[in-house]
């Protein structure tokens, strides 16, 4: 996670796979996180992975320097204290709030967003009263007293906020939002496909996380899909790739029909039809695929 960008798998896939293997992964925390991901002890078992604040989008070129210098001075005691000392842009603070980064301060996601909206920041996110902690504290207290006039986020809103802020979620996967729809269409999960027989017909759906077209593969294209239960490997012959070139190259959510192939312990789907998956309702923001052509 701290060596990105690297390799074939994006942070979202690394986190999802770690969680499937029993590793606890915690979202970034404004009070406890360092800039990069760290291991933190748990009361039982192996340590948990605590994601770093550097994973949030839009913290600015000097974000790390300001954050690490202020964190070394002492713990952050409130949203106003955090905003004043780190000088993060309001948009970045809002992403952090929406993703639950201020939970250690006793604030829910929308409560934190409400307080950030009240902070004394002027155009360009520069502090209006930079050196006056009293002004920040008073504004924050007034927002807290008024309370957040909104309900807590739904599970879908939480997932969307996480992906928008971090490009990943530590609690869910985008495909979970469509699982009931896929279940109605009798489309299995990746874990169910892993138990299917050789040459069995199957329709698979997932988020495209990678594409490869090695020069040594005689025009064959390999795609990897991901859902909440695991990974699905697709193989497209040159003819199938040319027939479905647009979804094969451009789409992030796809439906693939084909046959299961089991060879030397590996399972792939040899695809004969590929199309864009258009779920009912709006899809959340999706992490981009990693493509190697």
């Amino acid at each position: 996670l701290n060596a990105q960008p690297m390799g074939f798998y994006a942070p979202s896939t690394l986190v999802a796979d770690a969680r499937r293997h029993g590793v606890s992964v915690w979202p970034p925390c404004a009070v406890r996180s360092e800039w990069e991901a760290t291991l933190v002890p748990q009361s039982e078992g192996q340590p948990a992975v605590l994601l770093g604040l550097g994973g949030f989008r839009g913290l600015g070129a000097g974000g790390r320097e300001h954050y690490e210098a202020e964190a070394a001075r002492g713990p952050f005691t409130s949203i106003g204290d955090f905003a004043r000392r780190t000088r993060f842009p309001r948009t970045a603070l809002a992403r952090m709030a929406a993703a639950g980064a201020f939970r250690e301060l006793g604030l829910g996601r929308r409560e934190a967003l409400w307080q950030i909206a009240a902070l004394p920041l002027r155009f360009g996110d520069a502090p209006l009263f930079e050196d006056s902690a009293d002004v920040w504290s008073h504004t924050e207290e007034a927002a807290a007293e008024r309370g957040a006039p909104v309900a807590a986020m739904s599970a879908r809103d939480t997932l969307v906020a996480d992906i928008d802020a971090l490009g990943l979620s530590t609690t869910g996967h985008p495909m979970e939002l469509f699982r009931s729809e896929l279940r109605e269409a009798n489309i299995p999960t990746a874990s169910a496909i892993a138990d299917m027989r050789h040459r069995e017909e199957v329709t698979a759906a997932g988020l495209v996380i990678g594409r490869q077209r090695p020069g040594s593969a005689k025009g064959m294209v390999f795609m990897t899909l991901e859902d909440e239960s695991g990974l699905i490997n697709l193989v497209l012959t040159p003819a199938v790739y040319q027939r479905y070139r647009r979804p094969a190259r451009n789409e992030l959510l796809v439906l693939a029909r084909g046959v299961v192939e089991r060879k030397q312990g590996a399972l792939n789907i040899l695809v004969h039809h590929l199309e864009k998956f258009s779920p009912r309702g709006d899809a959340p923001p999706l992490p981009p695929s990693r493509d190697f052509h």
Side-chain angles (χ1 to χ4, degrees), residues 51 74 86 92 120 150 236 280:
L51 299 182
T86 63
V150 287
L236 284 68
R280 295 193 295 260

Side-chain angles (χ1 to χ4, degrees), residues 277-289:
F277 171 48
S278 300
R280 295 193 295 260
D282 296 330
L286 300 170
S289 62

Side-chain angles (χ1 to χ4, degrees), residues 102-136:
F102 297 103
R103 59 192 179 277
E104 289 288 325
L105 297 175
L107 297 170
R109 297 177 183 233
R110 283 184 169 152
E111 290 176 302
L113 281 167
W114 180 247
Q115 289 198 17
I116 286 168
L119 290 177
L121 300 175
R122 63 186 178 191
F123 180 76
D125 293 322
L128 187 58
F129 300 99
E130 183 173 324
D131 298 322
S132 178
D134 288 343
V135 171
W136 287 76

Side-chain angles (χ1 to χ4, degrees), residues 28 42-43 53 74 88 107 123 125 131 138 151 168 178 187 201 213 224 229 232 251 260-261:
Q42 298 191 90
S43 57
L53 288 192
F88 288 160
L107 297 170
F123 180 76
D125 293 322
D131 298 322
H138 175 74
L168 58 85
F178 322 129
I187 296 176
E201 292 276 346
R213 194 179 190 184
T224 303
S229 70
I232 305 166
E251 300 299 339
V260 172
E261 286 199 332

Side-chain angles (χ1 to χ4, degrees), residues 51-217:
L51 299 182
L53 288 192
F56 282 111
R57 296 192 297 114
L59 297 184
R64 179 170 188 165
E65 178 183 351
H66 283 300
Y67 175 72
E68 292 183 338
E70 291 300 324
R73 286 180 52 200
F76 302 103
T77 59
S78 67
I79 283 184
D81 180 52
F82 184 90
R84 181 174 58 86
R85 290 164 57 189
T86 63
R87 302 184 183 183
F88 288 160
R90 188 194 294 273
T91 51
L93 293 171
R95 287 192 188 100
M96 294 177 65
F102 297 103
R103 59 192 179 277
E104 289 288 325
L105 297 175
L107 297 170
R109 297 177 183 233
R110 283 184 169 152
E111 290 176 302
L113 281 167
W114 180 247
Q115 289 198 17
I116 286 168
L119 290 177
L121 300 175
R122 63 186 178 191
F123 180 76
D125 293 322
L128 187 58
F129 300 99
E130 183 173 324
D131 298 322
S132 178
D134 288 343
V135 171
W136 287 76
S137 176
H138 175 74
T139 305
E140 185 179 38
E141 289 171 2
E145 288 175 2
R146 289 195 300 270
V150 287
M153 285 188 178
S154 66
R156 186 188 191 284
D157 289 342
T158 296
L159 180 60
V160 169
D162 288 345
I163 296 174
D164 177 65
L166 295 163
L168 58 85
S169 174
T170 60
T171 60
H173 189 279
M175 292 303 295
E176 291 180 67
L177 301 176
F178 322 129
R179 184 52 54 195
S180 61
E181 179 180 349
L182 294 170
R183 194 177 295 115
E184 291 173 10
N186 295 317
I187 296 176
T189 63
S191 61
I193 292 172
D195 294 328
M196 296 180 74
R197 301 184 305 275
H198 179 62
R199 303 305 296 172
E200 188 171 354
E201 292 276 346
V202 65
T203 298
L207 171 67
V208 180
I209 63 168
R211 298 174 172 90
Q212 297 183 77
R213 194 179 190 184
S216 59

